[in-house]
Amino acid sequence: MTRMSLFNSPLMLGFEQFEQAIDRISKTASDGYPPYNVEKLADNRLRITLAVAGFTSDDMQVQIESNQLVIHGKQKDDQSRVYLHRGIAARQFHRSFVLADGVEVSGASLDNGLLHIDLEWPQIEPAVKTIAIRSAETSKSLELPALKDHGADD
């Protein structure tokens, strides 16, 4: 079965990277653990907050892999404890976010079971480029002069 693409139009050229990003998002969006918030701090700053109660900073890794922010978490199982009832499972997680070009992780902190990851990017003014439109008269005056045929008759 052929998959329909959002970017399958002949008017949408060069958007393959976006299509790949959407594929990655759809693969990782199925698991809801850990829950997270995305908060806008300023025009060029975001904060992602993940609820990671029970995890220490040594139990987690925050990495950038090919324009993806990837957070891994795995709790170490303490074999010295004897549980009469274990309702809180030692769980692992893998959460990823696709980052746009230019987005940088400015820091990560763990506070009261919440992992905060701060993102920022430079503010870029939109670039506008005007292309000159030449008329037929202008085009003729810019043409190169015809080269003479320098044959043996000269």
Side-chain angles (χ1 to χ4, degrees):
M1 183 168 102
T2 304
R3 183 177 66 89
M4 285 299 295
S5 171
L6 295 171
F7 302 103
N8 204 16
S9 168
L11 301 175
M12 303 289 283
L13 301 175
F15 286 90
E16 292 82 12
Q17 66 187 15
F18 295 111
E19 188 170 14
Q20 292 168 356
I22 289 171
D23 287 343
R24 286 188 299 232
I25 291 168
S26 64
K27 289 177 186 173
T28 60
S30 60
D31 185 19
Y33 183 79
Y36 65 92
N37 292 335
V38 179
E39 178 183 2
K40 182 177 180 178
L41 302 176
D43 285 341
N44 65 330
R45 293 179 50 225
L46 294 176
R47 172 175 281 171
I48 300 172
T49 301
L50 290 93
V52 292
F55 287 85
T56 67
S57 58
D58 293 334
D59 295 335
M60 295 181 287
Q61 286 184 335
V62 178
Q63 299 175 324
I64 304 290
E65 300 174 6
S66 303
N67 281 13
Q68 278 194 19
L69 170 65
V70 180
I71 303 106
H72 298 279
K74 184 173 183 179
Q75 292 174 320
K76 296 168 187 74
D77 199 9
D78 188 357
Q79 299 295 330
S80 65
R81 294 183 179 195
V82 177
Y83 293 97
L84 299 178
H85 171 76
R86 185 161 188 182
I88 303 172
R91 188 170 181 181
Q92 64 182 4
F93 69 87
H94 174 98
R95 173 71 72 186
S96 63
F97 301 88
V98 178
L99 302 177
D101 288 337
V103 175
E104 297 286 332
V105 176
S106 60
S109 62
L110 184 63
D111 181 35
N112 294 323
L114 297 175
L115 176 63
H116 303 288
I117 302 170
D118 293 327
L119 308 171
E120 62 182 74
W121 57 93
Q123 289 184 325
I124 299 172
E125 295 298 321
V128 177
K129 182 178 179 181
T130 302
I131 309 301
I133 302 172
R134 295 185 297 181
S135 66
E137 293 81 33
T138 307
S139 296
K140 287 179 185 176
S141 65
L142 293 177
E143 289 179 4
L144 295 175
L147 297 175
K148 284 185 175 181
D149 184 16
H150 295 286
D153 296 337
D154 287 342

